[in-house]
Amino acid sequence: MAVNDQLVKMEGIVEEALPGLLFRVKIENGQVLAHLGGKLKLHRIRVIPGDRVVLEMVSYDKTRGRIVRRL
């Protein structure tokens, strides 16, 4: 089983920007602590509170995720 088979994609809204490129993101069933994905950092895409984002989370840890797209 590949790693991509275990990823869960969800939409959420950024509530708070934290130090170290961490963000608190509100999803439909709670909150997630998320960091920026590689392409967002590489192209210096800014994410601010209030933005809608797409998250990738692994199936065994629903409290942390990676922001992969800004909507």
Side-chain angles (χ1 to χ4, degrees), residues 16-52:
E16 182 180 2
L18 302 169
L21 292 178
L22 288 175
F23 298 90
R24 191 174 322 270
V25 180
K26 182 179 179 184
I27 57 176
E28 61 191 25
N29 54 357
Q31 287 186 346
V32 175
L33 192 63
H35 64 275
L36 283 182
K39 292 289 184 177
L40 292 174
K41 282 194 273 190
L42 181 67
H43 297 293
R44 296 188 178 130
I45 305 295
R46 292 190 181 189
V47 177
I48 57 174
D51 284 347
R52 286 185 31 212

Side-chain angles (χ1 to χ4, degrees), residues 11-14 47-54 67 69-71:
E11 274 191 34
I13 298 176
V14 176
V47 177
I48 57 174
D51 284 347
R52 286 185 31 212
V53 294
V54 175
I67 298 174
R69 186 174 176 100
R70 181 177 161 226
L71 301 176

Side-chain angles (χ1 to χ4, degrees), residues 1-9 55-62 64 66:
M1 181 180 283
V3 174
N4 290 338
D5 295 337
Q6 299 173 357
L7 291 178
V8 177
K9 287 194 174 186
L55 299 170
E56 282 183 349
M57 297 184 293
V58 290
S59 58
Y60 57 84
D61 187 9
K62 300 287 187 184
R64 298 187 60 89
R66 174 177 50 225

